[in-house]
Amino acid sequence: MAITKQKIRIGDLLVQNEVISEQELMSALEKQKESGQKLGRVLIELGLLEEEQFLSFLSQQLQIPFVDLKRYNFDVSLIHRLPESYARRYRAIVLADQGGQLLVGMADPMDIFAFDELERILEQSIQQAVVRESELLSTLDLVYRRTEEIASFAEELDEELTEGQFDLESLTLDEDGSDAPVVKLLQSIFEDAVQVRASDIHIEPDENVLRIRQRVDGVLQEQVMKERRIAPALVLRLKLLSGLDISEKRLPQDGRFSLKVKGRSIDVRLSTMPVENGESVVMRLLDQTEGATNLEEVGMPADMLEIFRRLIHMPHGLILVTGPTGSGKTTTLYGALQELNEVGKKIITVEDPVEYRLHRINQVQINPKIDLSFARVLRSALRQDPDILLVGEIRDTETAEIALRAAMTGHMVLSTLHTNDAVSSAMRLVDMGAEGFLAATALRAVVAQRLVRRLCDNCYVDHELEAKDAAWISNLIGEEATKNMQLKKAVGCHRCNNTGYRGRIGVFEILVLNEALADALRRSSSSDFVKIAKKTPGYQPLVVSALKDAAVGITSLEEVLRVAEQIDESEDFIQVA
């Protein structure tokens, strides 16, 4: 490693090897003076070098390996030999023990000071490897989980709650008490949740234990702690943060608060509920740093997205987005609002609750306690001269009729329904008590959606179809298309927390009302509507949409089958296809 102990001018080496010109180096050095960034990062941002090209060059010049962290199988116990604070400070990760020498991946292997400090901290000689900085940072988030830290703080808090000591307020009301055990515990819980991209945190007291569960990619992951007595202290602190009544433990309460976690602004929606062993708390985490998702990022296929765009830009009509809780309906609607949000349009939303705050849009949160219902706000909103209305959910006949009449009188109305698929949604309006002719005249289209988990790109394997699955798929998409499928199966690795999946993608179906469908709806004929809908040109059921993603290895057949079970529509589709 003598080469790393010398003062190497990487810029000169790049020029000598004709990777960049002298003029380009001078330009990059000027930029570096302004930004203070490493020269390599400046060269990449200026487009003078590709990151892969620069890292390969470093690897050759320093005679050290280049490691692709996406494909590397880590030993987590080995990684933890370097404390997280040092790993982040020096942009380093311990990769392997090579018999007396540690292989350490570094984003900047030319940092001699970091090299010396790492050898001092690890108390062992090290062999460097070069890694991508972006991959390194995401890997650190994955491997340095807070589970041990959470358990340690829980134990510390439990020790303070000695027998007979029930003065919880003294443990939670310390305003500058960032050192209070309950504060440190909650901070670790939130940091861990943000690191693993959790959408929800559940705090559930059981008879003898406390369960802290996180919903990651739609699936709950659990940490069980024996310190059952700390639950009231956690709940009390969270209630104080949310401005809730700390003395009320018999009734459910809802609140919200905001906090900064790892440089990100997180909006927390909190719900408490009295259960047999105390109070259960569920917190929905909304990352306000990136804001609402754009329509292009929702995941809708290009052909479907083109249809949806055309629909939302119509001057009036009702468009429904349907699916169960947690299927991404709000994300799709916010994406539509982002696109429709123009200076020349007045947009009013009626929501429960308001999830993302959007500029130039008048957002109203309903409040049943003061009789501020969807119907009441909607009636008032129509007197505010809106062009576009978003109704968070159509829950009753009154709201349905107001929304439909608004759609008939020159307003574009976007809303949601909790139904299984697009076909059943239109008839659901009639079942709720809306007149058939009203629904037929106002309704333009229904979009149904689900979220399926993406396969982790680090650990999937090929999936050979069994005969029964092949027969089922052939009935849906045909024998030829079934043969051409490139199915993959989840395995599990450190990157996906051994689940085999990382992230989610939406699958969609869209039903645009034509004359025949409108006529069936006007007559309130459910059977005719279903038959016509299934045979409508361009209509593609949710299961088929999910199969298309599985066919190219985005998701697994297991996830497709889960969608099929939720919808229970495949049999009907086969019969009418």
Side-chain angles (χ1 to χ4, degrees), residues 231-476:
L234 285 176
V235 175
L236 177 60
R237 183 74 190 195
L238 290 168
K239 281 183 173 181
L240 287 166
L241 285 169
S242 307
L244 301 181
D245 183 355
I246 61 173
S247 64
E248 180 56 77
K249 300 176 182 178
R250 300 165 302 168
L251 295 173
Q253 295 187 69
D254 295 311
R256 70 191 302 164
F257 60 92
S258 298
L259 70 163
K260 280 269 190 183
V261 181
K262 299 178 74 65
R264 309 188 75 82
S265 296
I266 306 296
D267 202 13
V268 182
R269 274 173 30 205
L270 177 140
S271 172
T272 70
M273 179 176 287
V275 293
E276 188 176 1
N277 297 296
E279 285 183 277
S280 168
V281 175
V282 177
M283 292 176 283
R284 169 66 55 89
L285 308 182
L286 299 167
D287 190 343
Q288 302 289 341
T289 307
E290 297 175 356
T293 304
N294 291 324
L295 207 48
E296 290 84 358
E297 299 167 347
V298 167
M300 207 176 278
D303 55 342
M304 210 175 286
L305 182 58
E306 185 181 344
I307 296 169
F308 186 65
R309 273 206 167 105
R310 177 168 50 81
L311 288 164
I312 63 174
H313 283 285
M314 284 182 170
H316 54 84
L318 172 64
I319 297 172
L320 290 175
V321 179
T322 72
T325 301
S327 59
K329 300 186 298 295
T330 303
T331 301
T332 300
L333 287 175
Y334 271 111
L337 287 184
Q338 292 271 77
E339 183 150 322
L340 293 169
N341 190 3
E342 300 171 359
V343 174
K345 290 179 180 174
K346 170 91 167 183
I347 303 176
I348 299 176
T349 73
V350 190
E351 305 173 66
D352 181 25
V354 173
E355 294 200 3
Y356 292 99
R357 294 168 179 87
L358 304 173
H359 69 281
R360 206 190 292 120
I361 293 179
N362 298 273
Q363 296 173 272
V364 182
Q365 180 164 321
I366 71 161
N367 187 349
K369 292 178 183 176
I370 57 172
D371 194 29
L372 193 65
S373 63
F374 277 111
R376 186 169 186 176
V377 176
L378 201 48
R379 280 194 300 270
S380 298
L382 289 171
R383 295 194 288 271
Q384 292 275 315
D385 188 29
D387 297 292
I388 298 161
L389 286 166
L390 183 144
V391 184
E393 184 186 346
I394 294 178
R395 296 177 179 174
D396 52 56
T397 305
E398 187 179 10
T399 306
E401 288 195 346
I402 296 171
L404 288 167
R405 291 188 188 281
M408 287 175 61
T409 54
H411 304 90
M412 170 52 66
V413 182
L414 308 173
S415 190
T416 71
L417 268 182
H418 285 271
T419 49
N420 276 341
D421 57 13
V423 175
S424 61
S425 299
M427 294 310 302
R428 173 74 180 129
L429 289 173
V430 177
D431 293 340
M432 289 173 71
E435 295 287 348
F437 77 89
L438 202 58
T441 307
L443 188 61
R444 293 286 175 270
V446 185
V447 177
Q449 66 181 85
R450 293 291 189 283
L451 293 175
V452 295
R453 291 182 291 172
R454 283 180 179 270
L455 283 166
C456 172
D457 60 7
N458 191 53
C459 62
Y460 60 76
V461 295
D462 291 335
H463 180 192
E464 292 296 325
L465 267 179
E466 295 181 13
K468 61 173 184 174
D469 291 331
W472 178 74
I473 295 171
S474 293
N475 278 333
L476 285 169

Side-chain angles (χ1 to χ4, degrees), residues 166 199 541 557:
F166 295 106
S199 61
L557 183 60

Side-chain angles (χ1 to χ4, degrees), residues 131-146:
V131 297
R132 294 186 189 89
E133 186 172 11
S134 57
E135 286 180 9
L136 172 66
L137 293 175
S138 62
T139 301
L140 294 180
D141 282 343
L142 289 169
V143 295
Y144 286 104
R145 290 292 302 272
R146 296 287 196 273

Side-chain angles (χ1 to χ4, degrees), residues 7-11 24-43 45-46 48 54 108:
K7 184 68 175 176
I8 300 172
R9 294 172 64 91
I10 189 66
E24 288 172 333
L25 174 60
M26 291 299 106
S27 175
L29 288 171
E30 284 296 319
K31 184 74 174 174
Q32 185 188 25
K33 286 179 186 177
E34 297 172 12
S35 65
Q37 292 178 306
K38 301 280 187 183
L39 181 61
R41 177 54 49 192
V42 173
L43 289 166
E45 288 184 359
L46 289 175
L48 300 175
F54 177 71
D108 181 12

